[in-house]
Amino acid sequence: MDDDNILRLTPELDCPDYACTAGSTFRLTNIPPGFSVSWSVSPSTYFNSPTSGNDSVAVISPKTMYTGSEGTITFTISDGCSSLYYTKTFTINMPEPEEISINVVPSNAPDPIYFSEVWLLCPNSSYYIYLNNNSGCSTTNFQWSIPSQWTKYEQTNNYIRINTNNTPSTVVTITATTCCNTSHLIKTQYFGQSYSCGGYLLAYPNPATEEFTIEFDDTFDLTSVDSETTLEIYDLSFSKKYKAEKIDKQIKVKTSGWKEGFYYIILTHKAQKYYEKIKIGN
């Protein structure tokens, strides 16, 4: 390989972060003289033909059924002796999922809590729920799907204001027209009940050292516990530390060997989740 060619011109990818069904253009520029170029896209079954070619410009057309999936285009340059590869990963028909996020701001409510990709809200409380798009693929014409148990006060393109009433634990989905001029589900957001607004659980002492007790208040009907009811404890990286073998009025948890820091107690009961937070160590 002619090293001088590589020094004079360094190939660069000129590619979007998304690909539209109508066709999107991907380029490799600054190709050194004397090098041949080819490209291929994968998984090839996600795309209409052509899925490869011998050119520095590729127009690819993903199939609609794979919207939201990732694809990868690879450009290969070769001087006949050896080859170099340039790859770009993109999302089909919509922004990259990590570029779409939800933020919640209290309207007349305790502060929400974000834990392991779940927003924790309080019952009978009002919140603004915002959708943030930090990608280069625009989103418009938002359609918010919220549970019937919530009250919706107002809605614009990128936010709604709601009251949770008695059901903070739920799922909200958002559909929008993307930069590809087609409408797709762009975000699914899970909500649970916050530990900061009261509930069935009380953990003490808090902070704890070698052991603490989880106690259910009198409003929790132990006779309603079934095989789907679980009580688990997770650290902040959402690694499970404990699962109760039996749900009783009081449950004692030994914490010998646990690292100092905060942990979340999560009760799952009747398709609802209830949270409490405890600190281990001083």
Side-chain angles (χ1 to χ4, degrees), residues 4-21:
D4 289 340
N5 282 337
I6 295 294
L7 292 175
R8 284 197 298 270
L9 289 173
T10 301
E12 295 180 355
L13 288 167
D14 179 11
C15 303
D17 293 326
Y18 48 85
C20 301
T21 298

Side-chain angles (χ1 to χ4, degrees), residues 3-70:
D3 291 336
D4 289 340
N5 282 337
I6 295 294
L7 292 175
R8 284 197 298 270
L9 289 173
T10 301
E12 295 180 355
L13 288 167
D14 179 11
C15 303
D17 293 326
Y18 48 85
C20 301
T21 298
S24 294
T25 302
F26 294 73
R27 294 181 174 85
L28 185 69
T29 62
N30 291 345
I31 301 166
F35 282 77
S36 62
V37 185
S38 62
W39 64 269
S40 63
V41 65
S42 63
S44 59
T45 54
Y46 287 13
F47 302 89
N48 297 308
S49 182
T51 57
S52 62
N54 296 309
D55 199 347
S56 61
V57 179
V59 178
I60 62 173
S61 175
K63 298 176 181 177
T64 304
M65 68 184 73
Y66 296 109
T67 291
S69 300
E70 285 192 343

Side-chain angles (χ1 to χ4, degrees), residues 196-217:
S196 65
C197 45
Y200 292 134
L201 303 177
L202 174 65
Y204 60 89
N206 193 358
T209 52
E210 296 297 316
E211 181 183 87
F212 66 90
T213 299
I214 300 170
E215 184 171 336
F216 292 91
D217 68 22

